[in-house]
Amino acid sequence: MPVPEHLEFFIDPSRCIGCESCVQACSECDTHRGHSMIHLEYVERSRTTQTTPVICMHCDSPTCAEVCPADAIKRTEDGVVQSARKPRCIACSNCVLACPFGVPKMKSDLELMMKCDMCYDRSSVGKKPMCASVCPSQALFFGTREEIERLRKRSAAVNRFRFGNQTVTTKVNMMVPRDARPEYIDVAAAMEEDSLGGDIMLNVLST
Amino acid sequence: MATLPVEKLQIIQEFGPHGAFMSGIRLDPGVEPDRIVKTHCCFCGQQCGIQLKVKDEQVIGFEPWLEFPFNRGMLCPKGVKRYLQGSHPDRLLNAVERDGSVPSGFKPIEYEAAIRRVAEAIKRIQNEHGPDSFAILTGASLTTEKAYLIGKFARMALRTANIDYNGRLCMVSAAAGNKKAFGIDRAANPWSDIPNSEVVWISGANVGECAPITTDYVWQARENGAKIIVVDPRITPIARTCDLFLPVKPGRDAALFNGILHLMIEHDWIDHAFIEGHTVGFDAVAASVKEWTPQKTADVTGIAVKAIQRAAEWWGTAKSSFLMHARGIEHHAHGVQNVLGAINIVLASGRIGREGGGYATITGQGNGQGGREHGQKCDQLPGARDISNSEHRAFICKVWGIEEADLPKAGVDAYEIIRKIDRGEIRGLISICFNPQVSLPDNNFVSQALDKLEFYAAIDFFLNETAQHADVVLPGSLHEEDEGTVTQLEGRVIKINKAVDCPGEARQDWKIIQDIAHALGREHGLTFASPAEIFDELRIASKGGVADYSGITYEKIENQFGVFWPCPSDDHPGTPRLFEPGSWNPVAKGSGPFYFPDGKARFNIAEYRPPVEDTDAEYPLMLTTGRVVSHFLSGSQTRRIGPLVEQYPEPRIEMHPRLAEQHGIADNDWVTAETRRGDTTLRAMVVTTIRPDTIFIPYHWPGRKSANQLTNSAQDPISKIPEYKACAVRIRKAQGPPDWEAELEPQQ
């Protein structure tokens, strides 16, 4: 069964409280065998309590899969990028180095790359992934777009990200403030096809 | 004698804490559970709903309980991993008694023999020194049924006045303040009122780490347009994205509230009609805050004048609001005054007793609310009745079938029990679910007092640091091995359901208590066959009291996802929101919504006093203590759960870079923090998220890592809560790691 189309994943780092409930719950998903396949990043603990949960963004064209020399990373038809397949993975870490979001992690003791599979055993039957079920601040939210728009009036969901020459579209959405997009000054902004000239802010996130 | 039978390291080797991780059947992806049990978390006051998966009489994991309305499946990491306590290598599977000749210091003893030993010791000590020479210390993690039973056991079987509980370290300042202002001690509003508030004021509450699910409510309010005000010496996760952060100096909260009220009055941001119609004592309080000008408030609190003015304006002009506080303002020798200050700005605003107009304390412990309401507090009888009130005493004596002369009077608080032990006035002790050796302040003194006990029996499922002093340890039950009710932080009475049987010789706590009563030959009134039977009597005992549970049944709890007390009759749905206009209560009898004969709330002068031990040239910094998200209280449980230990392995000293630089300290350096009571050497955590004049140490660890070696045992004169949150300290860079670094695992 595929993940129901009306259910989507939304991440809102502004809500993250760094509690690691998501990380702890990930290892409790039946198919994860005690391993957490997500992690929590401290942006810079010496200066802020800002943290962000790092789950897979489930890219439409996953860089991790594209660079895998062993073809160990598969994307299902419903857009979920799976963890590396044990019989194929050669633990080369290409995917770890290539992912623009810093998602995959190499489990050196298992010689296997493991990453979020959106709790496929759960999400493919309409259940919430473990992390989004437990997240106390609902920084990780799994539900319908109508729900998120009703609940999060201050934020907009984006799923297109620009990394240099690469634009990545993802199945998972990032919630960003409606009125405070990140400022990214780049001469390339004035070179955009639809630029009227004089643009200096490169749009790195777009809905 | 209650000295340690052998070296501490030898005890730890056998009894832990050791870390438990997922293993065996819990790692098998193909396992279908035999059953799934709806219950609640065993840790904090939020009591999140959770479903436990059971296979082969073992809890193998959890499934989120999405339908339970308070948390809708959400859990913090403690709730996620709590099930690893089952089948834990440290679990006490049989009774043990001290024996200095065996390597671990304790040898197994047959359960019945252990019970006989306890009963004989009680008889001997009480015969020689009187009934009050034997004390009981209880925990607020006990179900309400157990708390009721142990209160009855203390007063009927032991006839001792000396029973108290570890809510004394948690909820009592809020309880005392609430009783003085409202006549009742419970959150005024359910959490569902938070998202409808225009302003949410959070004082002294590290919500993100200590009550994580509450974060969602607060931030839903923000999504709906609310402004969030956070008052804390540290930028905690909830403070990071608040609209207004007030970096209060530890121990100055009453001054801040007085300053806010001063501005509310000056700008006429007060609800005259509410004050006139529903309160008493405003004029005296208004006079008392005249001196609290913005400048004076700023000078005392360490908060900028403009920030104070902005906070007062936001609070004063809001149409709806919710004020929450927690231990940050309550853990003080003037904790009650801080709470009264908070309540004054709520009452002056008139925003209470209606939807989106609320006030609450964030209860810390799982049953901090229910336990004290029904018998484990030294001065309360079931139904939140007053043990000094002759009518209340007569009512309970009738329910229990005893003469009033045989019912002990009020006893002393938990810390005074320790002092009485030190003075030789108390010779024997039973403790259950309480680890004072770690959780009480100035705990080197606590160890010294415990050493003096003639006889000490502990009931617990792990041999915690206090139980290491015991003569006999009786193997009690884990949360998932018993059933009963607890009352969570909103005042919602909920049902804990049994998932598995006790292993080995372990027994449900209520059975152990009744077995001791039987061995004493004093089992009258203590022969219950189940928690349900205890609850039925508790309903009768609470009837007509302020905390009236008489209309609550297990079935009603199941059907309604909990019942908010008071619930005075079978057809009553419960009371989610207190103080609604026109509401009836047994004290006011219709004259008003508040629990005083005239139905009116009380303004109380909130007197500001600095911490008992303020900074000086010798000890120039403030020490404040608290929790981290992956541990709970004394850590007796969470320091045994491997993944939670890995998340936050050892305590660290949080300090600001400016302070660190003065002492040549870099992040991760070993630092010694020293107060007049003790010192500890821990690694530094250099962060810009704490005031430069304050250091913070989490208190979950024992022994040489314990923050409570340093804290001050000064107590609030009204609530008797200790001053955990403020004492004078100095720091210095250490030459290297302390001795324990090579000997102990992080959790030990």
Side-chain angles (χ1 to χ4, degrees), chain A residues 42 44-49, chain B residues 209 234-235 628 648 650-657 659-660 665-671 682-690 694-698:
Chain A
Y42 276 86
E44 190 180 357
R45 182 59 192 96
S46 65
R47 295 186 173 276
T48 175
T49 47
Chain B
E209 293 193 83
R234 299 190 300 148
I235 300 172
V628 295
Y648 199 107
E650 285 178 343
R652 297 173 73 185
I653 303 176
E654 271 183 43
M655 64 183 71
H656 193 277
L659 174 62
I665 294 165
D667 191 50
N668 235 24
D669 280 352
W670 290 99
V671 173
L682 305 168
R683 287 190 186 275
M685 181 171 168
V686 181
V687 289
T688 54
T689 50
I690 183 168
T694 301
I695 64 167
F696 170 86
I697 307 176

Side-chain angles (χ1 to χ4, degrees), chain B residues 201 229 244-247 256 260 263 294 298 302-314:
Chain B
W201 181 301
I229 301 170
L244 182 57
F245 174 64
L246 307 180
L256 174 64
I260 297 292
L263 285 165
I303 303 167
V305 168
K306 279 185 180 170
I308 293 166
Q309 288 168 328
R310 176 171 289 186
E313 183 176 356
W314 285 4

Side-chain angles (χ1 to χ4, degrees), chain B residues 99-138:
Chain B
D99 183 345
S101 67
V102 297
S104 69
F106 290 90
K107 67 175 185 205
I109 174 177
E110 196 198 11
Y111 176 80
E112 283 74 16
I115 292 286
R116 278 198 303 276
R117 259 202 77 184
V118 174
E120 283 161 10
I122 292 169
K123 278 182 182 169
R124 181 178 55 77
I125 289 171
Q126 288 194 319
N127 285 340
E128 284 178 32
H129 305 285
D132 288 347
S133 64
F134 213 98
I136 303 183
L137 287 172
T138 68

